[in-house]
């Protein structure tokens, strides 16, 4: 997000990366540091803290391997500079000496940002350790990775733990989905095009469709996935946060809290979703995946219908689905508008024109489409659907990787794109009835659009077909 309103003094002057030897650091954080160095010049130390008995050279080799593998447009100078900025504190988070040595490296830093790229079970020790060296008092704050709890109770406990040590405005709950170019454009598109935003209202909208479908399974991630499932992995966080962006009222100012206030209102108005409003599925063959419990009832597919009870959105069904091993890979938010009140141009052999749609596609390829109807050339009075499409340039999309954007924002003290405590808890409250009473998982074959039972909660007229390129 543009952080123009932030003072340079708000910037952190050190990044402390807990979990620097882990998977997330390798796949996302070193590449994000590369992009930030290339675009902004970091100009501060990056101090990794982890248990592996590595030398600084080992860590530097790992960072180089990560950037060479994961960055599309590698800038050798930026990569070298990131590598040169690295420091390493080897130690267990349970050991006070680890934090004492970290503190020595932080002597010249006034505002370190701590990034917890570690399993939530370790948050307690690390937050306590940061407190003992006073790192929480220096105004840099803390970045935490999803999952923010695994149900309402654990989310509240996590919140209590974080807020005992850091003020809410310095807790950056990172949901990388919210840093994606198309997701950011959901709100900007609305604010910059009031003529279209006016249409986002129960008077005009029939329903919404939010999809996150993947045509591959969970191979290689069985141990992790089997403990979460589709609801906890993507629906409670990514998809409900995106839903809040499209349904939120425009913020009243550019203050970071203004947008977060509006999103929070939407999530607090989300009526708790009931078990009969959801269908779960599991693809055939899931039990054979390494580290999956052979008796597992974890869902690899979920479809539900939600309602947001605000003046603007009441009675507009919001259909949400997410799944693995499906018939396609697509992440999309689609607004389906109401049909004309009277179909004047409908002859005996003519079909009713499809409704207007506004579709934000996040994957594959980021684009926005407005679906309208025009007269089909010829003698007959007949319409044909036409798309007005804006497609992002690939190069631009690579330039604005979500992790780089969000890490840069946290370093600058800009919290606009991070999930706030009340939003996170409201989203858990809405799905808690489904966690309490999840019902059966229905099997589906890999390559299908989920189980047949999911039709029960599907949009009227079915899910929109994928857009052709
Ligand atoms: P990993 O298991 O790969 O890494 C865990 C890190 O924590 C390692 O650096 C490990 O150090 C360190 N660590 C663990 N125990 C200790 C200890 N007692 N003392 C010191 N260091 C310790 O996890 P991920 O990187 O996959 O995930 C990190 C977080 O990010 C999790 O919360 C996860 O849910 C979240 N996340 C991960 C994503 C991913 O793509 N991986 C995506 C989105 C979120 P060492 O190995 O040296 O022992």
């Amino acid at each position: 997000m543009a952080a123009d309103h932030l003072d340079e003094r708000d910037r952190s002057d050190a990044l402390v990366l807990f979990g620097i030897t882990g998977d997330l650091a390798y796949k996302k954080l070193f590449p994000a540091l590369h992009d930030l160095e290339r675009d902004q010049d970091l100009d501060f130390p990056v101090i990794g803290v982890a248990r592996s008995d590595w030398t600084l050279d080992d860590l530097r080799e790992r960072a180089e391997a990560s950037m060479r593998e994961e960055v599309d447009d590698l800038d050798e100078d930026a990569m070298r500079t990131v590598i040169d900025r690295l420091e390493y504190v080897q130690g267990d988070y349970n050991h006070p000496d680890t934090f004492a040595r970290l503190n020595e490296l932080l002597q010249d830093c006034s505002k370190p940002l701590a990034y917890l790229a570690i399993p939530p079970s370790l948050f307690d020790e690390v937050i306590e350790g940061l407190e003992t060296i006073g790192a929480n008092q220096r105004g840099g704050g803390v970045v935490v990775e999803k999952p923010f709890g695994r149900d309402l109770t654990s989310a509240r406990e996590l919140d209590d733990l974080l807020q005992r040590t850091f003020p809410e405005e310095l807790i950056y709950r990172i949901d990388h989905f919210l840093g994606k170019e198309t997701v950011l454009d959901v709100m900007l598109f609305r604010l910059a095009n009031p003529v279209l935003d006016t249409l986002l209202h129960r008077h005009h909208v029939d329903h919404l469709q939010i999809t996150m479908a993947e045509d591959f399974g969970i191979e290689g991630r069985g141990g992790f996935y089997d403990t979460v499932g589709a609801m906890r992995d993507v629906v409670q966080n990514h998809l409900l946060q995106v839903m809040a962006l499209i349904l939120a009222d425009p913020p009243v100012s550019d203050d970071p809290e203004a947008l977060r206030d509006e999103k929070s209102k939407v999530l607090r108005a989300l009526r708790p979703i009931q078990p009969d409003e959801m269908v779960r599925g599991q693809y055939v063959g899931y039990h054979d995946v390494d580290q999956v419990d052979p008796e597992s009832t974890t869902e690899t597919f979920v479809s539900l219908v939600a309602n947001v009870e605000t003046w603007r959105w009441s009675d507009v069904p919001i259909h949400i689905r997410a799944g693995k091993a499906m018939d396609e890979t697509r992440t999309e938010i689609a607004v389906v508008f109401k049909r004309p009140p009277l179909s004047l141009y409908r002859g005996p052999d003519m079909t009713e024109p499809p409704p207007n749609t506004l579709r934000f596609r996040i994957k594959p390829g980021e684009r926005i489409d407005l679906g309208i109807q025009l007269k089909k050339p010829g003698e007959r009075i007949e319409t044909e659907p036409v798309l007005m499409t804006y497609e992002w340039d690939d190069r631009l999309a690579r330039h604005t990787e979500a992790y780089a954007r969000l890490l840069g924002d946290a370093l600058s003290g800009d919290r606009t794109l991070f999930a706030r405590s009340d939003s996170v808890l409201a989203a858990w409250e809405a799905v808690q009835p489904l966690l309490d009473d999840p019902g059966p998982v229905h099997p589906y074959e890999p390559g299908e659009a989920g189980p047949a039972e999911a039709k029960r909660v599907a949009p009227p007229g079915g899910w929109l077909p994928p857009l052709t390129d």
Side-chain angles (χ1 to χ4, degrees), residues 375-402:
K375 182 182 173 303
K376 201 170 184 171
E379 289 307 305
R380 286 164 56 97
I381 300 295
E382 197 177 356
T383 63
E384 66 177 349
V386 176
L387 288 178
M388 296 171 72
T389 300
Y390 173 71
E391 207 154 351
W392 265 268
D393 172 64
D394 272 357
R395 194 173 44 82
L396 179 67
R398 273 210 299 277
H399 242 74
T400 48
E401 280 291 337

Side-chain angles (χ1 to χ4, degrees), residues 62-280:
R62 167 107 169 156
E64 178 169 350
S66 148
M67 288 182 267
R68 288 203 183 282
E69 191 176 329
E70 304 288 340
V71 177
D72 286 332
D73 291 335
L74 188 72
D75 177 325
E76 290 281 339
D77 290 343
M79 181 184 76
R80 288 280 150 225
T81 314
V82 170
I83 289 171
D84 288 345
R85 293 198 193 294
L86 291 173
E87 306 272 5
Y88 187 47
V89 175
Q90 186 278 325
D92 199 293
Y93 301 147
N94 292 305
H95 209 294
D97 180 54
T98 306
F99 291 88
R101 283 181 289 122
L102 170 63
N103 202 25
E104 281 166 26
L105 290 180
L106 288 175
Q107 282 315 307
D108 296 332
C109 307
S110 58
K111 207 168 183 183
L113 175 71
Y115 196 124
L116 308 193
I118 53 174
S121 54
L122 296 168
F123 283 6
D124 240 331
E125 285 89 343
V126 171
I127 286 176
E128 207 174 288
L130 288 170
E131 201 175 6
T132 57
I133 60 170
N136 59 321
Q137 305 286 352
R138 302 204 211 165
V142 63
V143 182
V144 285
E145 273 291 339
K146 83 164 183 103
F148 313 126
R150 52 174 291 108
D151 55 20
L152 184 56
T153 306
S154 56
R156 283 188 178 135
E157 284 166 6
L158 174 59
D159 244 31
D160 289 347
L161 170 69
L162 291 168
Q163 291 182 355
R164 266 204 310 273
T165 320
F166 289 89
E168 172 61 27
E169 64 271 18
L170 291 179
I171 301 171
Y172 301 94
R173 295 177 192 79
I174 202 164
D175 183 336
H176 74 277
F177 217 68
L178 300 180
K180 286 178 180 282
E181 196 68 35
T182 331
V183 174
L184 280 178
D185 204 33
V186 169
M187 187 48 92
L188 292 196
F189 178 91
R190 293 180 47 199
L191 298 180
N193 300 290
V195 68
L196 292 172
D197 188 58
T198 314
L199 301 175
L200 296 181
H201 193 285
R202 66 194 300 274
H203 291 161
H204 308 290
V205 174
D206 187 75
H207 68 274
L208 270 86
Q209 300 189 9
I210 301 178
T211 293
M212 186 170 185
E214 288 164 321
D215 66 2
F216 48 87
I218 52 111
E219 288 72 15
R221 296 176 68 220
F224 159 76
Y225 195 87
D226 203 36
T227 62
V228 288
M231 173 65 77
R232 290 185 171 95
D233 191 32
V234 297
V235 175
Q236 184 276 339
N237 36 64
H238 300 332
L239 300 188
L240 291 186
Q241 288 286 334
V242 164
M243 179 201 78
L245 265 185
I246 191 121
L247 301 189
D249 279 341
V252 293
S253 75
D254 68 350
D255 184 284
E257 291 313 318
L259 176 59
R260 305 206 310 169
D261 285 345
E262 298 305 332
K263 281 176 58 194
S264 168
K265 279 185 208 164
V266 170
L267 288 164
R268 283 186 280 130
L270 177 59
R271 184 168 53 69
I273 305 160
Q274 299 308 307
D276 65 349
E277 295 172 314
M278 171 185 76
V279 171
R280 297 193 309 141

Side-chain angles (χ1 to χ4, degrees), residues 19-25 27 50-52 91-94 117-120 122 145-147 403:
I20 199 163
T21 56
D23 186 55
L24 183 71
K27 287 203 304 226
R51 199 172 35 186
S52 289
D92 199 293
Y93 301 147
N94 292 305
I118 53 174
L122 296 168
E145 273 291 339
K146 83 164 183 103
Y403 263 98

Side-chain angles (χ1 to χ4, degrees), residues 39 223 321 360:
D39 300 341
R321 64 176 173 161
F360 295 86

